[in-house]
Amino acid sequence: MPGITREEVAHLARLSRLELKDEELDHFAEQLDVIIGAVARVSEVAGQDVPPTSHPLPLTNVMRADEVRPSLTPAEALSGAPAAEDQRFRVPQILGED
Amino acid sequence: MADLIRFTAAETAAAVASGDVSAVEVAQAHLDRISAVDEKVNAFLHVDTEGALAAARAVDDRRARGEELGPLAGVPLALKDVFTTKGVPTTCGSRILEGWVPPYDATVTRRLKDAGVVILGKTNMDEFAMGSSTENSAYGPTGNPWDLARIPGGSGGGSAAALAAFEAPLAIGTDTGGSIRQPGAVTGTVGVKPTYGSVSRFGLVAFSSSLDQGGPCARTVLDAALLHEAIAGHDPLDSTSVDAPVPPLVEAARRREIRGMRIGVVKEFGGEGYQDGVVQRFQEAVELLRELGAEVVEVSCPSFTLALPAYYLIAPSEASSNLARFDAMRYGLRVGDDGGRSAEEVTALTREAGFGPEVKRRIMLGTYALSSGYYDAYYGSAQKVRTLISRDFDAAFAGVDVLVSPTTPTTAFPIGERADDPMAMYLADLCTIPSNLAGNAAMSVPCGLAPEDNLPVGLQIIAPAMADDRLYRVGGAVEAAFTEKWGHPLLEEAPAL
């Protein structure tokens, strides 16, 4: 299994929405390389005909009745918002200006 | 009045119910203890003095009106800061949630309040429960009451340290890879990971949803059983909640008898990397089980050697998805919103500033394991390992009632020793991880001090899913026999703070 490069770590950081500093990239590249080297042992079983387990319980699609129930008020739901306006979360621009 | 902070939860509840002591006196004694020692221990991130005294007064009022009190009414508790508490800060040990005050209670929080339990405050933890030492908290490490220069385990080090420092007789933890059991082992306390799905995850801030399980921490097996019964049971607010009755745990804890039980020693938990004193105390515990009339056999679970690698692919993969919710838009920290930056830039700057190194490592590791090109080799293989581990457990439980092992390969290590060596840190959970992957039930109960460092060693007991009562039956018997042998509970040997 190939090791992980500094460029790959920079790509993972972008995908993960982490604005890492240069020195962090170096440090994480080194550590992730060691960790990935150690966990790669699981691929020993890659060829085996074994069903995957994603979850310990055999539950699927637990449904509830579609009924109106008590819930948070708008003020409660917005109580932790970094910025709010007119009962909505106020966020930075998403689409850019045009 | 006798020293209220040294009462067990069962004794406290009885004293409150009989009127020998008021719930307010009990709460105040613990708040005083926290004031006296927590500057050194740092078990608590937030102490809710007002809320605790109000809850205690409510219990005293109910008693005054002649209402029947539950088995834990008036008993103080330390709650891991990963459960939401309405009106009380919840940080998960992270800067990204600093100052956040949830508008709702977790189901566990709600059930504790309904039981008349007095919540003293929120305990320190590795950030988002990722770690084995509580050093990954953004708010500084917690000291182990046995030696403040050593780790109290993690991620629930604050909860375990609060018990060992006599700041609370009960605590709640969460166990994703050992975060209840490993802190229990290294602090000489009792910690239980219930069967997956048997304690609600509603309001438990998610790390790895298919592994996370809340559970009880206590100084005695009976206290753990009382707390476990108070928080367990089906919850319609958690779609992974098991809709089945909880077996009688308190009754099992009181039985203290294991004659004829079949107990398996897992061959794979031992050898290189295990401290001599841990192995010695474990073997003595196995001998004790035989003396108590159990039939002990060796069992082999060959896939367990792949449990640690599989865990460090599955847990980070789920974490990378779960922690995407910390986007700086709806709650928590927001950094760099200067009117010019885009939402995406603000998210990336906030996560850089708000997450610590271990959380960043795991998010990137999980993102890597889930990427196209690597998915089958890593995440897909890890899921196959999970199946193989469950099969090993099934085969073992066909022949025995419970399995036993050391809870951790070593006793508490010095703060800082493994802080920048992730793989060394991950080894602390070697024996605890298989139960999370399979979703069964497991307990750590004290089995003595390692002779070379005089630090606590834990015996791990593992039972099949929904057979949590077996943990309490074996744990209760082991605790009673050791206490008789030592002449006192293990924690009495801990140094004064």
Side-chain angles (χ1 to χ4, degrees), chain A residues 1 8 16-17 19-21 24 27 31 36 41 46 48 51 53-55 57 62 80-81 89-90 93, chain B residues 196 210 239-240 305 330-331 334 340 343 348 351-352 360-361 367-368 374 378 381 383-384 386-387 420:
Chain A
M1 207 65 68
E8 282 179 289
S16 308
R17 302 289 184 271
E19 187 67 49
L20 296 187
K21 300 182 185 76
E24 283 184 295
H27 197 51
Q31 290 180 329
I36 289 165
R41 281 177 51 220
Q48 288 187 34
T53 297
S54 63
H55 204 272
L57 297 174
V62 177
F89 295 98
R90 185 185 158 91
Q93 55 170 325
Chain B
Y196 179 83
S210 79
S239 64
T240 58
T305 55
R330 293 154 299 156
Y331 45 78
R334 180 182 286 183
R351 289 161 65 85
E352 163 63 13
K360 290 176 186 170
R361 265 193 294 273
T367 305
Y368 179 78
Y374 297 113
Y378 290 130
S381 297
Q383 288 189 309
K384 287 185 178 182
R386 206 168 175 177
T387 306
D420 205 37

Side-chain angles (χ1 to χ4, degrees), chain B residues 378-415:
Chain B
Y378 290 130
Y379 187 68
S381 297
Q383 288 189 309
K384 287 185 178 182
V385 170
R386 206 168 175 177
T387 306
L388 294 171
I389 285 168
S390 293
R391 287 180 182 173
D392 279 357
F393 271 123
D394 290 346
F397 286 130
V400 299
D401 299 305
V402 296
L403 297 169
V404 292
S405 76
T407 307
T408 59
T410 69
T411 55
F413 46 88
I415 289 173

Side-chain angles (χ1 to χ4, degrees), chain A residues 1-4 8-21 24-25 27-28 31-32 34-57 59 62 64 69 72 76-83 89-94 96-97, chain B residues 86 100-101 103-104 196-197 209-210 237 239-242 305-306 309-310 312-313 318 328-332 334 337 339-344 346-349 351-352 355 357 360-361 363-365 367-368 371 374 377-378 381-388 391 420 422-423 426 437-439:
Chain A
M1 207 65 68
I4 189 163
E8 282 179 289
V9 174
H11 179 61
L12 290 173
R14 273 194 300 279
L15 291 175
S16 308
R17 302 289 184 271
L18 291 167
E19 187 67 49
L20 296 187
K21 300 182 185 76
E24 283 184 295
L25 280 178
H27 197 51
F28 284 138
Q31 290 180 329
L32 287 173
V34 172
I35 297 169
I36 289 165
V39 299
R41 281 177 51 220
V42 296
S43 57
E44 283 172 24
V45 304
Q48 288 187 34
D49 185 20
V50 178
T53 297
S54 63
H55 204 272
L57 297 174
L59 292 171
V62 177
R64 64 165 173 83
R69 296 180 306 177
L72 299 180
E76 286 171 329
L78 290 165
S79 62
F89 295 98
R90 185 185 158 91
V91 302
Q93 55 170 325
I94 292 170
E97 307 207 31
Chain B
K86 186 173 182 174
W100 181 55
V101 179
Y104 71 105
Y196 179 83
S209 307
S210 79
L237 296 174
S239 64
T240 58
S241 174
V242 177
T305 55
L306 286 174
Y312 278 100
L313 289 163
E318 294 187 13
M329 298 300 135
R330 293 154 299 156
Y331 45 78
R334 180 182 286 183
D337 184 12
R341 290 197 178 95
S342 69
E344 191 178 319
V346 168
T347 299
L349 283 168
R351 289 161 65 85
E352 163 63 13
F355 288 144
K360 290 176 186 170
R361 265 193 294 273
I363 289 173
M364 288 192 287
L365 182 59
T367 305
Y368 179 78
S371 338
Y374 297 113
Y378 290 130
S381 297
Q383 288 189 309
K384 287 185 178 182
V385 170
R386 206 168 175 177
T387 306
L388 294 171
R391 287 180 182 173
D420 205 37
M423 281 316 298
Y426 297 171
L437 292 171

Side-chain angles (χ1 to χ4, degrees), chain B residues 22 58 212 477 493:
Chain B
S22 73
D212 295 342
E493 293 185 40

Side-chain angles (χ1 to χ4, degrees), chain B residues 81-97:
Chain B
D81 202 23
V82 69
F83 287 93
T84 59
T85 40
K86 186 173 182 174
V88 173
T90 300
T91 68
C92 301
S94 182
R95 287 279 171 225
I96 212 161
L97 282 178

